[in-house]
Amino acid sequence: MSTSSLTQQHDTEPNINPFQLDDTDDSDSSSEAEAEAASERLEPRPPALQSVDSGLMSPQREDIPLGSTPPPPITSRVIFPQDRKKDTSPVQLQPIAPVTDEVPALFLPGLINPSLFLPIPNSDQLSILLNKYIAPESRPQRDLTGTWQHSDVPTLVMKMTNSWRALAKMSRDRIVDSSPDDIVLIFELWHLRLTSLTRLRLFNQAAAECNNLFAVLRNIQPDLVRIYVLDSLLPFELEVTYARTRYWAGDPYGYLDELYALLRKCKMCSKSATSATDIEMWKERAVRVGLIMASQLLEMKDHTAAAALLLPLCNPTSPDAPPPSIELLSAVARIYMDSGDIESAEQLIRRVENDPSCDNTTKEINRALLASARLDWKTAVENLRSAIQREPGNPLVANNLSVVLLSTGNLQEGIHYMETALRASPGTVGNVEPFLFNLATLYELRTASNFDKKCGLLLEIAEWAGDGLRTNCLKLPQV
């Protein structure tokens, strides 16, 4: 089921009215037998219960006492008739308790079914390269078992942020062992599981497990409970992940349709929200979805559509709206530079420089990029050298400076800056694939012994690189 269809189901809740009112003016009670039969029909009976796959119990539609006043429309709960003694007087309805923000007791064992998960392979591309190009005595020890039992959750999340295999297995084990009524925790673990699979580059497996999860959610009964779970309990991040399954399936336009449905949902929820906190939350989510759509449009080489999507964020019309961030203005300026609109990019960069909260490094990087777009390599080198002197280990500055130096023919100086940044923070830079690709390219252009240099780079990052690194950035063949 697509996210757009989920949204339509949420917006159109069924109007459930279990009371059946008949016209009794024309009833004929001339005989005692007919009166006795009518009295038996008026006697209430407790509803029969049946089990469903979700683990909830739902009432069957049985005969309901007549002669009662229709209740107000029921939208969030189903009220079952209570056992009452035989009485021909009109039924007195109990007032409906006001709806609160408390999560009702739900029992959904389908969310923790072990059959929803697939096994994770115990090998990765980096280990294949190490076995091929590095001698056994020189290979660093890499743990691909995904063992997490000897570490607690904060250690895995905070100190081992690149051990995605261990996080994926930990989240799966904890989901299976969770109580079926702890819905909030189960959804959080599902989000961690799918995020870990994505970082492991196991996109097909992530899509399959995400589809399994939403298949269970679609089959929750009764309908009111399913709508409540999808509207109130399902994390927004899981909806974004479900939309991304279209991208993993090779359908970029379908992915954009799903993102647009999420963006429309955010706008509608922002307009209907009553508290200021909820309004800001849905606005923030709308901005996030817009940025995701812009990234997809850039990947599709549609710079005009991406700039048109982000430009309203740079020029807010509401007086209460916060000013656009420096990062957003700089990103839109780079989109304009990629599309060849230098004048629009210069206007946005000027706004960034006039912002008192902007640091000097960001200003110099923007000036260098603008100068590079104009093929003014001298100005670009001057700005980036000034920035690298202030922050010698900044990988962003080092990467941009090495690209500019490549255009001027100073390959060795660019290699020096990039290797310095790699040694300064190998745990961070060792997982940045564009940085490693540029460094491997400079090795190929600089010397004929580039194979030894790239093998040394492989050995250096193997100790720090986490799970899921795409080894094609090292430009070493696997076969």
Side-chain angles (χ1 to χ4, degrees):
M1 173 181 286
S2 64
T3 309
S4 59
S5 59
L6 288 176
T7 308
Q8 294 175 358
Q9 290 184 3
H10 302 173
D11 296 338
T12 60
E13 287 188 0
N15 187 11
I16 299 177
N17 188 356
F19 297 90
Q20 301 176 357
L21 301 179
D22 294 333
D23 189 4
T24 59
D25 294 339
D26 298 333
S27 63
D28 186 7
S29 57
S30 59
S31 64
E32 293 180 359
E34 293 178 356
E36 181 66 18
S39 175
E40 290 178 359
R41 288 195 300 271
L42 292 174
E43 182 178 359
R45 291 179 295 172
L49 298 178
Q50 61 180 2
S51 61
V52 294
D53 295 338
S54 63
L56 297 172
M57 306 299 290
S58 60
Q60 293 180 345
R61 297 193 175 184
E62 300 290 347
D63 294 337
I64 306 299
L66 303 180
S68 59
T69 304
I74 299 175
T75 58
S76 61
R77 61 185 66 191
V78 177
I79 300 180
F80 303 129
Q82 303 294 331
D83 294 338
R84 294 182 292 272
K85 294 182 179 180
K86 181 177 179 180
D87 189 4
T88 58
S89 61
V91 178
Q92 299 294 330
L93 296 178
Q94 298 180 356
I96 300 177
V99 180
T100 63
D101 294 336
E102 296 181 0
V103 178
L106 299 176
F107 189 80
L108 302 176
L111 297 178
I112 62 173
N113 193 333
S115 62
L116 300 177
F117 304 95
L118 299 176
I120 299 178
N122 291 327
S123 62
D124 61 353
Q125 299 178 358
L126 192 59
S127 298
I128 296 176
L129 290 183
L130 288 173
N131 294 334
K132 182 177 182 180
Y133 295 109
I134 305 300
E137 61 275 7
S138 302
R139 296 173 193 164
Q141 188 68 25
R142 288 177 54 81
D143 183 15
L144 299 178
T145 61
T147 303
W148 62 271
Q149 286 79 4
H150 303 293
S151 302
D152 54 5
V153 176
T155 301
L156 288 172
V157 176
M158 301 301 295
K159 299 181 181 179
M160 300 172 61
T161 54
N162 294 319
S163 298
W164 301 110
R165 182 174 280 100
L167 287 173
K169 291 188 176 182
M170 182 271 294
S171 56
R172 184 264 181 198
D173 295 342
R174 293 198 60 186
I175 290 174
V176 173
D177 295 337
S178 299
S179 175
D181 58 354
D182 197 352
I183 309 300
V184 176
L185 176 62
I186 292 174
F187 279 147
E188 291 177 354
L189 292 173
W190 264 105
H191 177 233
L192 179 60
R193 167 76 176 186
L194 297 177
T195 301
S196 301
L197 293 178
T198 303
R199 297 301 298 268
L200 286 170
R201 315 292 181 183
L202 301 176
F203 302 122
N204 292 334
Q205 182 171 344
E209 295 188 5
C210 186
N211 289 328
N212 292 340
L213 170 62
F214 276 81
V216 174
L217 296 177
R218 288 195 298 264
N219 293 324
I220 293 178
Q221 294 294 333
D223 294 340
L224 289 179
V225 176
R226 180 179 70 251
I227 293 173
Y228 173 76
V229 171
L230 293 175
D231 280 348
S232 303
L233 299 182
L234 183 66
F236 186 74
E237 291 77 8
L238 284 179
E239 296 187 63
V240 176
T241 304
Y242 183 70
R244 192 161 179 80
T245 57
R246 301 291 296 271
Y247 173 78
W248 294 332
D251 185 8
Y253 292 100
Y255 179 43
L256 287 176
D257 291 339
E258 297 291 343
L259 291 176
Y260 176 76
L262 286 179
L263 183 61
R264 181 174 178 270
K265 175 183 177 181
C266 293
K267 292 181 179 180
M268 294 177 60
C269 293
S270 176
K271 293 179 180 179
S272 61
T274 56
S275 64
T277 303
D278 292 342
I279 294 175
E280 291 299 324
M281 177 187 69
W282 285 109
K283 285 184 178 180
E284 179 184 357
R285 289 177 175 178
V287 172
R288 288 167 52 193
V289 175
L291 294 176
I292 296 174
M293 292 182 65
S295 300
Q296 178 61 26
L297 290 171
L298 288 175
E299 185 175 334
M300 299 167 63
K301 306 300 182 183
D302 194 346
H303 296 84
T304 303
L309 184 62
L310 295 179
L311 194 58
L313 299 177
C314 300
N315 302 310
T317 57
S318 175
D320 299 332
S325 63
I326 297 173
E327 292 78 10
L328 178 61
L329 294 174
S330 301
V332 178
R334 292 166 191 171
I335 294 176
Y336 278 128
M337 283 186 279
D338 290 339
S339 61
D341 191 352
I342 306 301
E343 295 182 0
S344 299
E346 187 176 5
Q347 293 177 1
L348 292 177
I349 290 178
R350 191 178 300 112
R351 290 176 58 182
V352 172
E353 293 184 350
N354 294 333
D355 193 327
S357 61
C358 182
D359 59 282
N360 293 328
T361 301
T362 302
K363 294 179 181 179
E364 290 168 344
I365 292 178
N366 288 337
R367 294 170 189 164
L369 293 177
L370 185 60
S372 300
R374 293 171 173 170
L375 302 181
D376 186 1
W377 305 115
K378 180 179 179 181
T379 303
V381 170
E382 291 177 355
N383 283 277
L384 291 175
R385 279 178 175 169
S386 175
I388 202 68
Q389 291 176 359
R390 186 183 305 105
E391 301 179 23
N394 191 322
L396 178 61
V397 178
N399 182 76
N400 292 334
L401 180 56
S402 64
V403 174
V404 174
L405 291 174
L406 173 62
S407 302
T408 61
N410 297 325
L411 299 180
Q412 190 59 40
E413 186 179 358
I415 292 175
H416 167 72
Y417 288 126
M418 297 193 74
E419 289 179 341
T420 302
L422 179 60
R423 288 191 297 267
S425 54
T428 301
V429 181
N431 290 277
V432 181
E433 295 170 1
F435 184 94
L436 299 177
F437 181 86
N438 289 343
L439 181 56
T441 302
L442 291 179
Y443 284 153
E444 291 180 341
L445 297 175
R446 177 65 181 86
T447 176
S449 60
N450 62 85
F451 178 78
D452 295 336
K453 298 289 291 185
K454 289 190 289 187
C455 287
L457 179 62
L458 169 65
L459 186 60
E460 185 173 359
I461 68 171
E463 184 178 356
W464 302 96
D467 301 326
L469 179 71
R470 288 183 291 192
T471 56
N472 56 355
C473 63
L474 300 176
K475 310 183 78 171
L476 285 172
Q478 295 185 5
V479 293

